[in-house]
Amino acid sequence: QLQLVESGGGLVQPGGSLRLSCAASGFRLDYYAVGWFRQAPGKEREGVSCISRDGSTTDYADSVKGRFSIFRDNAKNTVYLQMNSLQFEDAADYYCAADENVIFGCTRHKFEYDYWGQGTQVTVSS
């Protein structure tokens, strides 16, 4: 059974950091591009970042460039999202997803993704 499990969310103060993990089970994650998405209450799910199968290509939403970093450890079948300098606006449920169709590169368009995790909550509060 293909499964993605996110972890690492929690409560953090503005300016703090969190590292989210997206662990795959039942399939090899290195066969997929992976994206991180977030959804705040009352808002649409947006693509935050993505990474290609081999990790050579990454992309970030303008709102997180310079603060977030996506990377993967294919030996651990896991993709990470390092989030630094967190702001109130970063608070949301964060989801990872796997795209089985793209061969090179990655996309932050949610409709391209085939498998989704259940999400992990990030709260930014002083």
Side-chain angles (χ1 to χ4, degrees):
Q1 181 179 358
L2 279 66
Q3 191 173 16
L4 292 170
V5 178
E6 301 95 335
S7 61
L11 173 65
V12 63
Q13 292 184 338
S17 298
L18 285 174
R19 177 176 291 184
L20 305 183
S21 299
C22 172
S25 62
F27 66 107
R28 285 186 56 172
L29 197 55
D30 58 339
Y31 288 172
Y32 299 77
V34 174
W36 279 99
F37 299 79
R38 66 186 181 187
Q39 188 167 18
K43 295 189 177 181
E44 289 195 9
R45 190 170 298 189
E46 64 170 339
V48 174
S49 182
C50 67
I51 188 167
S52 60
R53 292 184 177 193
D54 63 357
S56 64
T57 300
T58 58
D59 189 36
Y60 298 91
D62 288 343
S63 59
V64 306
K65 278 180 182 176
R67 300 188 298 120
F68 290 13
S69 178
I70 189 171
F71 58 99
R72 65 194 305 160
D73 185 341
N74 287 336
K76 294 184 178 179
N77 223 24
T78 301
V79 171
Y80 303 91
L81 185 68
Q82 178 67 41
M83 305 188 298
N84 298 328
S85 302
L86 282 161
Q87 303 167 358
F88 292 119
E89 308 85 76
D90 296 316
D93 291 327
Y94 282 73
Y95 301 86
C96 68
D99 179 356
E100 66 180 356
N101 296 306
V102 68
I103 305 299
F104 301 106
C106 65
T107 176
R108 289 186 288 110
H109 295 298
K110 60 187 176 184
F111 297 112
E112 298 293 327
Y113 284 80
D114 305 286
Y115 305 104
W116 291 81
Q118 83 291 344
T120 186
Q121 187 175 52
V122 172
T123 302
V124 183
S125 175
S126 55

